[in-house]
Amino acid sequence: MTELKGIWKDWRLHLLVFGIVALTEWIGVFQFTVGPGVILLLPMLYAMLIGLGLFFTPVIKKAQALNAEPLIVLGVTLLIAKIGVIIGPSLPKLIEAGPALLLQEFGNLGTIFIALPIAVLLGLKRESIGMTHSVAREPNVGLIVDKYGFNSPEGRGVMAIYIFGTVFGAVFMGVISGFLATITPLHPLSFAMASGIGSGSMMAAASGSLVAAFPAFSDDIIAFAGASNLLSLSTGLYMSIFIGLPLTEKMYQLMTREKPSQSRVRKGA
Amino acid sequence: MLLKNVQEWTLLLLIFGLIAAIGNWIGYSVFPVAALPGMAVLIVICLAGLILQHVLPVNIPSVAYIGIIGILVSMPVMPGSEYIVKWTENINILALATPILAYAGIAIGRSWTDFVKLGWRSVVVAMFVMVGTFLGSALIAEVVLRMQKII
């Protein structure tokens, strides 16, 4: 964010985004039911897919793809400012819900109990530790690379989830949050807190679907999701260091009956 | 150096704000003139946070400052906060998210080659990772919110 030079002059990029936004907002929210649940497709989801599609046409050159990055960062600052002014008036409500906000951070360990068994069942080896110890955003990638090395199985695992999250995280979260919130008996505000998983775009997509599905709760949903996302950003790394990663290692050993000493011997051999 | 950055940030935030304001008009029927004061407030909050991050010696991300400034200026005890709240209400949060993801879509094209190299097993695990953290947090939140009788 320190070296920005003349990106505002990239009119091709801004006009394209302008066109995408105008088109997708004009299309509006599209929703359909699957069994008892509702799947919501928001303009932001089409916008991302159209942007991605344009990348493969000559309209977008490498310069545009590079110049788009700082605009994501600045766009997220506007989003955070907007979340801030929603949180301000509802601060007493947030403080009242403080215990739930803090404790639901431990729910991020849900990846270990749900995704690790699947990874092991699919025959993945130590990749599964990198893959499932957390939701694999930047701080977690840093942790795994620091501990196991970039070219280790764990490092490849965390990178795989990171790449999936970068490319499809927002689209996926947007689709499942509305669906899960309509198919399960859990309250939209619980899902609002769950939307803050430490990534601005995933949080926006997940809480956006909730707002579209439950407009009556719209400000509370955004306040809870935003506060939870700030908490996830600040506690996520420590959660992984002290609980997530050790727990994943233990569970992995239990599931594969691999003794920690054995693995060390194999690595040395 | 700072001045040059502030200039660039301002221009980019204005471009982004303009695009979002048009989206806000088409998608949420807020005429851009009505959205103007709210958008201006949000841009000023962003600039304040970006400048603070640049000037202060501590290494805290600018979004943290921006979030805190946003909360402070909209708290009921703050004089004038009712205007901030009233003006910014005209900016639909989804109208801000759409251009972010449009830019993101264009930028992540560069990660596409890495993405197609992922095997199907990685994709399956990735989906369960996201569902896992989402459901795990929602379950805990539900239990605590019910115990507190908030929901």
Side-chain angles (χ1 to χ4, degrees), chain A residues 14 25 82 108 122 187 190, chain B residues 88 91 98 103 121 137 142:
Chain A
H14 305 307
E25 291 289 5
K82 167 71 186 172
N108 295 348
L122 287 175
H187 198 276
S190 305
Chain B
T88 53
I91 314 291
T98 307
Y103 280 112
R121 290 188 298 186
S137 296
E142 179 83 15

Side-chain angles (χ1 to χ4, degrees), chain A residues 2 6-8 14 25 48 52 55-56 69 75 82 85 88 96 104 108 111 122 131 177 187 190 194 222, chain B residues 5 8 28 46 74 88 91 93 98 100-101 103 105 109-110 112 115 121-122 129 133-134 137 140 142 148:
Chain A
T2 44
I7 289 170
W8 62 275
H14 305 307
E25 291 289 5
M48 209 209 87
L52 182 60
F55 178 84
F56 299 102
E69 277 171 23
K82 167 71 186 172
V85 298
E96 193 197 355
Q104 59 84 30
N108 295 348
T111 59
L122 287 175
M131 284 175 146
S177 88
H187 198 276
S190 305
I222 293 163
Chain B
N5 270 325
E8 184 86 28
Y28 310 94
C46 290
S74 62
T88 53
I91 314 291
I93 194 157
T98 307
I100 294 178
L101 286 183
Y103 280 112
R110 300 193 320 128
W112 186 258
F115 177 75
R121 290 188 298 186
S122 300
V129 163
T133 176
F134 191 59
S137 296
I140 295 179
E142 179 83 15
Q148 288 187 282

